[in-house]
Amino acid sequence: MRLSAYPIPNLKELPAEAEVVSHQLMLRAGLIRRLSAGLYTWLPMGLRVLRKVERIIREEMDRAGALEVLMPTIQPAELWQESGRWDQFGPELLRLKDRHERGFVYGPTHEEVITDIARRELKSYRQLPVNFYQIQLKFRDEIRPRFGVMRAREFIMKDAYSFHLDDASLEAGYRAMYDAYTRIFSRMGLKFRAVLADPGAIGGTGSQEFHVLAASGEDAIAFSDGDDYAANIEKAEALPPPGPRPAPSSARATVPTPHVRTIAELAALLQVPAARCVKTLIVDGADGGLVALVIRGDHELNAVKAQGLEAVASPLRMAAPERIARELGAQIGFLGPLGLPCPVIADHSALALADFVCGANEPDAHLTGVNWGRDLPEPAAADLRNVVDGDPSPTGRGHLSIARGIEVGHVFKLGRKYSEALDATVLDEQGKSVAMLMGCYGIGVTRVVAAAIEQNHDERGIIWPEPLAPFDVVLVPINFQKSARVREASERLYAEFTAAGLEVLLDDRDARPGVKFADAELYGIPHRVVIGERGLDAGRLEYRHRRATDSEEFALADAIAFLQSRRAR
Ligand code: ATP
Ligand code: MG
């Protein structure tokens, strides 16, 4: 492509909503433009990257034996009523009506449609196993669309659905997708980890997420240094501290703590570590009452673990302050587990404390020297907190450390949820009708592009992993307009590189070299070749890799061999 014929300018004025670097760089480099909240147009340079992501995914899905299909984005409401998700899905589901007043949804996912295909087309165990996939638009009316295409409302997903007769076959199909995902993200040149995930509202029996590691990731993931345990922090188990709780050694006392709002302020005022204080959080109970959750002052509540408890409402809801005041006679900031007229559940590490500090359930006061069993009944115990750096691994081997990741893929054993709801059965070997087992496997195709940038950039711009770059090489002629020799050499290289299978961007604009260099770096093209009169005199050209800090020279005559050698690196 010739930049002189490329009409999209770099964006200089970034909108305030572009908070993360990938969003900023995708706008600046003209990969995308915003149409409306969470809706983006992919411009030519961005679409080239998107197509590369799709191609790698397609090749590996095909290699794994999956069959490509294309399902409509618009789906009849009846199918969603049949699966029960018409009522379960909240406002993320975009509902529409056609001219006949018939209900439809814009698909946020395609389990219903594929299960409808399966129940019509698959009749015998002999047709199993099978895996259908597509690369298709989805719409989810996200409550907070943000970070550009990373959390958009309309986005492209690769979604695959497998159908099986028995568990062993589902296990093998799941494993095949796990392996395909590993190849996909490796081929893209991304640093990633597969982690255990919370199966969440979809239910099912097992699930793993693939995360691109990046400091800006929305998710925290915990790894063990002792083995290959890795889990989303939502799911990572915190082991109870070893050994018995120390015996009480101080008397309980009430201390005035006016104006204290946070654990940090409390710890500073009383000169105790936050780890010796406890926080009491009041949440809605499953039975409509209130439940008190107690965790150590230096820990964070894990919502997924908390809402997984039988006594707690799911999804987790913090109780309203007025209700806490009315029913517990206490005020947020001064809550404690003593004398509460509601069930109390304590995290294992809060339960391991002796002589701890907590709110007094009266204004402007806390208690010190509090002891479980002595000052209040032993509460129920549970794992309620996020794991932290240095926690022992739940496998018993090694310790955990926390990193951040961007979820780009998800593999999931669905079981029979949809096949039972939609009556998708086959005849087994005995001629008996059985509901098929299913797996589902997603990749956020558009999100991958942003995640690749989050992981690979510097202050000057994008640094594409070579397999995703919109162009392999950028040619930067100096004085293209004035020097016939430079023009001629540039055109020749452009033709030769292209013929050798390289994707070439020729910066033939009438612009200063500094502008061209800056744009080449912003665009993140891996290889840059500078063509100037002086170099041509010596038969040599200047080369630099996007990641390198220095240029090197090569002989014009060996241009293709040289470039290929640099690509192979
Ligand atoms: P998240 O927790 O990020 O909302 P999810 O669990 O809702 O993701 P899935 O339903 O498993 O996501 O969808 C499969 C993949 O689609 C995700 O792994 C993610 O990469 C991508 N994805 C999900 N929601 C969005 C979105 N709003 N914008 C872009 N990509 C998305
Ligand atoms: Mg989501």
Side-chain angles (χ1 to χ4, degrees):
M1 190 176 84
R2 288 160 195 277
L3 263 184
S4 63
Y6 189 64
I8 312 290
N10 297 342
L11 204 66
K12 301 281 183 320
E13 300 282 317
L14 285 175
E17 57 149 25
E19 299 167 60
V20 294
V21 72
S22 60
H23 190 188
Q24 294 166 358
L25 288 172
M26 290 182 82
L27 289 172
R28 273 182 60 200
L31 307 190
I32 55 168
R33 287 292 181 259
R34 178 183 185 272
L35 174 64
S36 175
L39 302 178
Y40 289 88
T41 298
W42 287 79
L43 296 174
M45 187 86 76
L47 191 62
R48 291 181 74 99
V49 179
L50 188 61
R51 292 289 182 242
K52 292 197 173 178
V53 169
E54 289 179 356
R55 189 190 311 155
I56 292 172
I57 293 173
R58 210 170 246 124
E59 284 174 9
E60 294 302 334
M61 292 302 291
D62 292 346
R63 187 205 303 271
L67 305 173
E68 187 168 1
V69 296
L70 187 59
M71 295 178 258
T73 52
I74 306 287
Q75 311 175 6
E78 293 82 50
L79 267 183
W80 285 72
Q81 283 150 356
E82 228 184 313
S83 73
R85 285 209 284 191
W86 178 259
D87 296 322
Q88 287 158 14
F89 239 86
E92 258 191 39
L93 183 64
L94 178 63
R95 298 160 208 249
L96 323 156
K97 282 214 167 113
D98 73 2
R99 65 170 80 203
H100 307 294
E101 290 292 304
R102 279 194 298 251
F104 289 86
V105 306
Y106 192 121
T109 173
H110 279 73
E111 281 83 6
E112 280 78 2
V113 179
I114 198 71
T115 309
D116 181 59
I117 294 285
R119 70 179 166 186
R120 291 166 195 275
E121 308 298 332
L122 307 177
K123 301 289 176 198
S124 157
Y125 73 95
R126 283 179 225 275
Q127 293 165 283
L128 301 183
V130 64
N131 183 328
F132 295 113
Y133 81 97
Q134 67 173 346
I135 295 178
Q136 174 61 302
L137 289 165
K138 309 281 185 230
F139 189 93
R140 296 182 180 178
D141 206 348
E142 298 275 355
I143 185 163
R144 267 189 81 198
R146 56 193 176 140
F147 308 151
V149 297
M150 198 115 76
R151 185 166 296 285
R153 295 200 294 167
E154 189 185 69
F155 60 96
I156 298 177
M157 196 197 289
K158 186 287 297 174
D159 44 330
Y161 307 89
S162 66
F163 294 86
H164 309 268
L165 185 66
D166 56 30
D167 283 313
S169 170
L170 172 58
E171 196 55 52
Y174 179 88
R175 186 72 219 176
M177 282 297 103
Y178 181 96
D179 293 342
Y181 278 32
T182 303
R183 283 195 301 272
I184 286 168
F185 297 119
S186 305
R187 274 187 61 186
M188 290 177 183
L190 298 172
K191 290 186 273 302
F192 68 95
R193 282 295 292 257
V195 308
L196 296 171
D198 171 50
I202 321 180
T205 49
S207 116
Q208 281 156 298
E209 292 164 353
F210 285 75
H211 285 261
V212 164
L213 303 177
S216 59
E218 272 192 296
D219 286 283
I221 52 194
F223 312 86
S224 169
D225 58 11
D227 57 20
D228 60 5
Y229 179 84
N232 191 310
I233 203 154
E234 288 181 344
K235 168 95 179 169
E237 190 188 335
L239 294 180
R245 178 164 68 213
S249 66
S250 357
R252 191 173 96 207
T254 305
V255 291
T257 53
H259 314 305
V260 163
R261 282 278 165 271
T262 63
I263 290 283
E265 288 167 6
L266 180 68
L269 179 73
L270 301 182
Q271 297 281 301
V272 293
R276 290 284 301 282
C277 305
V278 304
K279 291 191 268 207
T280 304
L281 304 159
I282 309 294
V283 300
D284 290 354
D287 61 1
L290 296 177
V291 175
L293 304 177
V294 182
I295 56 173
R296 235 169 59 182
D298 59 330
H299 286 151
E300 272 175 29
L301 182 70
N302 181 308
V304 169
K305 291 177 181 178
Q307 72 200 15
L309 299 176
E310 215 169 295
V312 174
S314 178
L316 189 73
R317 284 187 304 272
M318 291 311 202
E322 311 77 59
R323 189 168 174 206
I324 294 175
R326 196 171 61 240
E327 293 183 28
L328 307 181
Q331 181 189 339
I332 290 175
F334 304 97
L335 286 163
L338 274 76
L340 287 180
C342 70
V344 176
I345 306 173
D347 179 68
H348 296 297
S349 40
L351 201 53
L353 292 177
D355 305 320
F356 61 84
V357 176
C358 65
N361 293 330
E362 52 186 81
D364 299 336
H366 280 78
L367 304 174
T368 60
V370 181
N371 284 277
W372 301 108
R374 187 191 74 182
D375 301 311
L376 71 169
E378 295 284 351
D383 175 11
L384 287 177
R385 67 175 175 96
N386 286 338
V387 294
V388 293
D389 236 38
D391 270 341
S393 167
T395 58
R397 288 178 296 276
H399 289 84
L400 298 178
S401 49
I402 313 290
R404 300 211 68 90
I406 301 167
E407 183 196 324
V408 288
H410 199 171
V411 293
F412 209 99
K413 290 181 218 162
L414 273 176
R416 296 197 170 84
K417 180 177 157 108
Y418 296 95
S419 54
E420 278 173 355
L422 271 66
D423 201 20
T425 59
V426 291
L427 297 179
D428 69 8
E429 273 176 83
Q430 283 75 45
K432 194 163 72 69
S433 171
V434 291
M436 290 177 273
L437 281 165
M438 290 173 63
C440 72
Y441 318 94
I443 293 181
V445 178
T446 36
R447 184 182 284 182
V448 164
V449 177
I453 297 174
E454 287 296 329
Q455 190 178 73
N456 300 282
H457 66 269
D458 62 14
E459 66 291 346
R460 292 177 313 228
I462 304 168
I463 308 178
W464 288 114
E466 301 205 11
L468 303 186
F471 295 95
D472 300 311
V473 50
V474 53
L475 300 180
V476 183
I478 311 292
N479 249 336
F480 186 86
Q481 267 65 22
K482 296 210 188 82
S483 163
R485 285 174 61 219
V486 166
R487 208 156 52 234
E488 198 185 297
S490 303
E491 294 290 357
R492 198 172 61 239
L493 269 184
Y494 184 62
E496 280 178 15
F497 281 165
T498 304
L502 295 169
E503 292 172 288
V504 192
L505 183 65
L506 173 60
D507 194 347
D508 55 351
R509 293 175 298 174
D510 187 8
R512 285 182 294 110
V515 170
K516 296 187 178 188
F517 292 150
D519 284 350
E521 291 185 315
L522 173 63
Y523 294 149
I525 314 297
H527 307 279
R528 183 185 83 188
V529 172
V530 182
I531 303 146
E533 292 228 315
R534 212 164 333 131
L536 289 176
D537 287 341
R540 301 187 72 76
L541 298 179
E542 188 195 298
Y543 165 85
R544 189 187 290 195
H545 191 274
R546 178 65 179 81
R547 284 196 189 276
T549 43
D550 294 310
S551 300
E552 47 184 321
E553 288 197 334
F554 65 95
L556 180 55
D558 305 330
I560 290 175
F562 175 82
L563 218 76
Q564 297 292 20
S565 75
R566 287 303 178 272
R567 287 183 84 207
R569 270 203 307 202

